Amino acid sequence: MKFQLAVNMERIDDSLDMQDVARHTLGMVHIAEEGGFDIVWSAEHHALEMTIAPNPFQLLTWWSTETSRIRLGTAVATAAYWHPINLAGEAAFTDLISGGRLEFGIGSGAYQREFDRMKPGLKQSDAWRYMQEMLPAVRALWQGDYAHDGEFWQFPTSTSVPKPLQNDLPVWVAARSPITYDFAIRNKCNVNCWPLTRPFAEAELYKQHFDDAIAKADNDWQPRFALMRHACVYDNETDRQTALNAIRTVLSQFENLFRNAGDVHNGFPASVPLDQLEGREQYDPAMLEENLMFGSPETVIEKLKRYQALGVNEYIYYASMGLDHASQQKSLRMFCNEVMPEFS
């Protein structure tokens, strides 16, 4: 099993200094590289302090100058917010500067709130159409001169400047629905997925979509399949409670965004009161601890082996969950030192 890290610059409130947040994020990348992680992923989000990532390629270019081995991925570039020429060039430049370490991840986007600001009038449920037009155009621009006359973009003959350093730059698609799995495998992309806080059955469903798409495509493509879960390794009750409190606070802010409630001030989403979430399985502490990659090193190893048996050959450790910086780094080091050797 290979291991990947998803980490964000994040602030739950304005008590944290932005420079400290940046230093912490880079520190997590260093721990991951030293610990043997294969890829570190940066997100794209806009006007939200809980995920400070207005351009994932800026983050990756920064990390590339501070690392030497770990590969650098976008999880994900949101297709509808870009122009194909711009996206192709930004990605290729990052690949060049990083010495050929880019993993290009593309997706449809998550929050209607962001679409209302970045692409007014577009429903999140329709954004997959932009992604499916964008990716072939970007790949064509990486190859050379290309003109495009599509539904969403039109441009005369152009090309990506620069070109990627890698001849066959790895592409990943963030997938949940069967139509996206089919598109990814048909276009010879790797797949990453996120079952959110849902039970193991959700991961089984995604793996079935993945297998069905491979059978349907029948194109001899052997894709990589990575699954992401929020993660926290702990070895005492205090750290356990700290982790559960942190993830519930973050999830209450996510609930605000998913509802598009509009209660966001200076980039900080208000929390939906937890007493309004009681009885909802995805916020119950016991269910969170069971479904997420939470627990002692031994518990986390047991959970990972279950995913490995399912056919998940790569695991994305999602570190950002509102936890204090010291606890995040302690957990990641424990994962590197006490969990990963079991899978080497």
Side-chain angles (χ1 to χ4, degrees):
M1 180 175 276
K2 292 184 177 180
F3 296 96
Q4 307 168 8
L5 173 70
V7 63
N8 304 322
M9 290 178 60
E10 65 166 353
R11 295 201 304 171
I12 303 305
D13 56 47
D14 60 6
S15 63
L16 286 175
D17 181 87
M18 188 62 72
Q19 293 182 84
D20 290 338
V21 172
R23 282 190 288 267
H24 162 71
T25 306
L26 181 59
M28 293 288 282
V29 174
H30 284 153
I31 293 170
E33 179 171 67
E34 293 164 5
F37 275 68
D38 182 52
I39 303 171
V40 59
W41 297 100
S42 66
E44 177 182 2
H45 285 289
H46 299 276
L48 292 170
E49 292 269 359
M50 64 191 302
T51 312
I52 304 163
N55 184 328
F57 301 105
Q58 283 186 313
L59 287 166
L60 298 183
T61 301
W62 168 40
W63 295 343
S64 77
T65 65
E66 300 285 344
T67 58
S68 60
R69 300 182 307 277
I70 198 165
R71 295 187 62 80
L72 307 155
T74 53
V76 292
T78 304
Y81 304 160
W82 293 82
H83 187 282
I85 298 173
N86 187 17
L87 183 55
E90 289 269 13
F93 184 84
T94 303
D95 194 50
L96 174 66
I97 293 301
S98 67
R101 287 189 279 155
L102 179 65
E103 303 275 330
F104 180 74
I106 189 168
S108 300
Y111 311 131
Q112 186 60 49
R113 181 181 192 276
E114 287 185 315
F115 286 104
D116 292 345
R117 288 152 181 80
M118 301 298 293
K119 197 72 176 179
L122 176 61
K123 292 183 179 180
Q124 189 276 339
S125 58
D126 293 332
W128 61 272
R129 297 165 59 206
Y130 285 74
M131 190 268 290
Q132 294 199 6
E133 182 177 330
M134 173 68 84
L135 181 57
V138 166
R139 278 177 154 167
L141 289 163
W142 285 338
Q143 295 302 312
D145 279 341
Y146 169 74
H148 186 79
D149 185 18
E151 180 180 1
F152 305 116
W153 298 281
Q154 304 82 35
F155 53 87
T157 300
S158 187
T159 191
S160 173
V161 177
K163 301 294 189 298
L165 193 61
Q166 299 177 82
N167 291 327
D168 189 13
L169 200 157
V171 175
W172 296 74
V173 169
R176 294 183 66 188
S177 66
I179 191 172
T180 307
Y181 279 90
D182 290 345
F183 170 82
I185 306 306
R186 187 170 63 247
N187 287 274
K188 296 189 174 182
C189 302
N190 303 306
V191 172
N192 51 35
C193 67
W194 183 21
L196 302 173
T197 63
R198 295 169 182 164
F200 187 78
E202 187 79 0
E204 293 177 314
L205 176 63
Y206 293 164
K207 182 58 166 59
Q208 188 62 58
H209 292 337
F210 181 73
D211 292 340
D212 290 346
I214 292 173
K216 192 180 300 182
D218 191 25
N219 57 1
D220 296 322
W221 172 239
Q222 298 297 318
R224 298 166 68 181
F225 181 58
L227 180 141
M228 181 168 75
R229 287 285 202 184
H230 280 100
C232 191
V233 186
Y234 39 77
D235 56 6
N236 61 75
E237 182 60 24
T238 299
D239 289 352
R240 172 180 175 270
Q241 288 299 328
T242 298
L244 289 171
N245 290 340
I247 190 63
R248 295 186 83 207
T249 298
V250 165
L251 290 174
S252 71
Q253 291 185 324
F254 272 117
E255 184 72 17
N256 180 321
L257 297 175
F258 284 129
R259 293 182 185 182
N260 200 21
D263 192 7
V264 180
H265 300 287
N266 289 325
F268 296 105
S271 294
V272 176
L274 291 176
D275 60 6
Q276 296 182 19
L277 306 175
E278 294 298 333
R280 294 184 59 179
E281 183 178 271
Q282 60 264 46
Y283 298 100
D284 178 73
M287 293 302 294
L288 288 171
E289 193 168 31
E290 177 181 345
N291 296 343
L292 303 181
M293 201 58 65
F294 278 29
S296 66
E298 295 77 17
T299 297
V300 169
I301 289 169
E302 181 180 339
K303 289 180 179 180
L304 284 170
K305 286 184 175 179
R306 189 180 183 194
Y307 284 109
Q308 190 176 46
L310 178 62
V312 175
N313 50 26
E314 314 206 17
Y315 168 68
I316 305 172
Y317 179 116
Y318 191 4
S320 300
M321 46 177 274
L323 197 61
D324 66 272
H325 292 171
S327 296
Q328 284 189 40
Q329 294 196 12
K330 178 181 178 182
S331 170
L332 184 58
R333 286 194 173 96
M334 289 178 68
F335 189 87
C336 292
N337 296 332
E338 301 184 43
V339 175
M340 287 173 59
E342 191 73 21
F343 299 89
S344 61

